[in-house]
Amino acid sequence: MNDSWHYYYIKNNFETAILNTDREPRFYANLGFDGGLWYGNGRYKDVGVGTTAEQPYVVTAKASEPSGKLSDIRYSKTGYYAKKPSHFESAFSTTGALTLTRYTFPIYRLGDLYLMYAEALNETLEQPNEEVFSYVDSIRSRAGLENVRDSWLKYSKLPNKPMTKDGMREIIQHERGVELAFEGKRLWDLRRWKKAHIVFNEYVKGWNVAGKNTADYYKIVYIEKNEFFTKNYLWSIRLRELRTNTNLVQNPLW
């Protein structure tokens, strides 16, 4: 990979998966991957003319490499790392010393509220209006993206998708998944959308992290299969509560 778009995201002339290229900025802000750049501990990259570039860390995730599988513990099963919750000033130095700056975990933030409001408003209308678009567009604008209608008109095979209630619902749901990644929202979103039994019953897939070269590493492997049962939409009521109040009825399937 060697072009201006990926300059801040992927090491020049590094052979990585096509899946990792030409993604929106939040992909690179959220994830570390083989060949990806990781800023931190004073390492940044400056493209200014006449300046000395400070090179960021490069994730090398193949087996036996610094970010790869070195033993049976402390490695990524999928080949991807959660960059977002890692504070940019936290990193191991070349001597192995750890500089730790704690990441402030967001319980609620404005972007979450904007998307919740857009979702709720869209559900009350026959089709999305300007207010729905404005709240979603404010999130996309901060991420460096074009607004919803222009994006789907220019780049999508379904240019009219944002103009329908069902289409906008899917767009908002996808936007929440991207914007709020690694913030503890996904499980609860999928449960209330009644999609958890579909998404969480699929296999977790990743790269072959035991591979030591490009050909072996970039093979899709099935890692594990999660289970989410219909009854998990309603959790069980404690037996103590049922005995205390005999009018209570246990939730279905429990």
Side-chain angles (χ1 to χ4, degrees), residues 214-233:
T214 301
D216 290 337
Y217 180 83
Y218 286 111
K219 293 178 180 177
I220 297 176
V221 297
Y222 291 82
I223 299 169
E224 60 188 26
K225 192 175 189 297
N226 295 323
E227 289 186 337
F228 187 98
F229 301 104
T230 303
K231 70 178 184 179
N232 294 131
Y233 283 114

Side-chain angles (χ1 to χ4, degrees), residues 24-26 115 133-152 155 168 171 174-175 178-179:
E24 64 150 285
R26 288 176 293 185
L115 291 171
F133 293 132
S134 68
Y135 279 96
V136 178
D137 289 344
S138 65
I139 300 297
R140 294 176 60 82
S141 175
R142 185 200 57 80
L145 302 175
E146 295 183 48
N147 65 63
V148 170
R149 284 169 289 185
D150 286 347
S151 296
W152 261 257
Y155 311 113
M168 196 60 195
I171 291 172
H174 177 77
E175 198 70 30
V178 176
E179 177 67 21

